[in-house]
Amino acid sequence: MATASKVSIVNVGYRSTNFWVVSSGASRLLLDLGWPGTLATLRANLDRMDVPIRDIRHGLATHFHLDHAGLAQELKALGMRLLVPDLQRPFIPRIMDHVKPADHFTPITLHDNTEFPIGQSREILAGIGIAGDIVHTPGHSDDSVSLLLDDGSVFTGDLTHPMFVTDETAEVVTASWQRLTDMGATTVYPGHGPIRRL
Ligand SMILES: [Zn+2]
């Protein structure tokens, strides 16, 4: 069995949203996929971090809102495989409910993604050299997932900070954070704002 290489994490975000490149050996996974209509900005930020955009061979959206999956289809056209845990699939077309023509959003096709039961995420990630799990963490949205690496790093997208939960989502948000800490999460890489320790 191949030993997983040490993972490195860089932020290529812009417009108050973090986009993370998780690298392991030659493998590069982009976590959250840009704002629509901003491929040039993402490409420039990747270049600044010495990551050629064509090296991004895999991508995962924590959830299908415009600021987290806005460039998914353009990135696919450049060679990225979109990883889709099965529970996210029905939410992909619904992103169109929020799109305005001025967004310059390219609709995400469904037939050409790497789709898998979320319970098999560990094997899928191992296949690209990353030791970790994709965990269902609803609260902000029902399609929200987190990427939890074996070193305790966790990418939580818009999962509400425990201090800002509202009454109607408190239970589900708290359960999602509990699930992550039970599984060993220690360092949060959120969709917005700074990295923090749990
Ligand atoms: Zn969102």
Side-chain angles (χ1 to χ4, degrees), residues 29 60 83 120-134 147-149:
L29 169 70
L60 175 71
L83 304 181
Q120 286 170 20
S121 68
R122 194 165 185 83
E123 289 73 40
I124 296 290
L125 291 170
I128 59 174
I130 292 174
D133 296 276
I134 299 169
L147 172 66
L148 172 59
L149 304 181

Side-chain angles (χ1 to χ4, degrees), residues 60-116:
L60 175 71
T62 54
H63 61 295
F64 283 84
H65 283 172
L66 270 185
D67 55 335
H68 294 262
L71 292 170
Q73 194 64 24
E74 284 102 320
L75 289 163
K76 283 164 62 179
L78 291 170
M80 183 194 82
R81 299 288 303 188
L82 179 59
L83 304 181
V84 179
D86 51 359
L87 64 92
Q88 286 188 324
R89 186 182 215 264
F91 292 84
I92 296 177
R94 292 189 213 167
I95 199 171
M96 298 309 294
D97 298 349
H98 308 281
V99 173
K100 297 183 256 358
D103 292 329
H104 302 291
F105 175 73
T106 307
I108 302 167
T109 52
L110 292 176
H111 67 276
D112 51 356
N113 302 318
T114 300
E115 205 177 308
F116 51 91

Side-chain angles (χ1 to χ4, degrees), residues 9-14 18-23 27-35 38-59 71 74-76 78 80:
I9 299 163
V10 297
N11 189 357
V12 294
Y14 50 96
N18 301 322
F19 306 119
W20 305 99
V21 179
V22 178
S23 300
S27 183
R28 310 237 184 281
L29 169 70
L30 183 62
L31 202 291
D32 283 339
L33 307 173
W35 287 85
T38 63
L39 188 62
T41 309
L42 179 64
R43 189 195 297 265
N45 286 7
L46 286 164
D47 283 345
R48 199 170 300 136
M49 291 298 183
D50 280 325
V51 182
I53 201 163
R54 284 178 189 281
D55 283 6
I56 303 289
R57 305 309 299 273
H58 296 90
L71 292 170
E74 284 102 320
L75 289 163
K76 283 164 62 179
L78 291 170
M80 183 194 82

Side-chain angles (χ1 to χ4, degrees), residues 149-197:
L149 304 181
D150 284 3
D151 70 1
S153 306
V154 65
F155 302 83
T156 52
D158 287 352
L159 180 59
T160 318
H161 189 292
M163 277 168 60
F164 301 118
V165 287
T166 55
D167 283 351
E168 44 310 356
T169 59
E171 227 169 280
V172 59
V173 169
T174 306
S176 287
W177 284 113
Q178 190 63 50
R179 189 170 310 131
L180 292 174
T181 47
D182 287 350
M183 292 178 73
T186 53
T187 310
V188 179
Y189 294 77
H192 310 274
I195 298 167
R196 65 185 178 86
R197 301 286 297 177

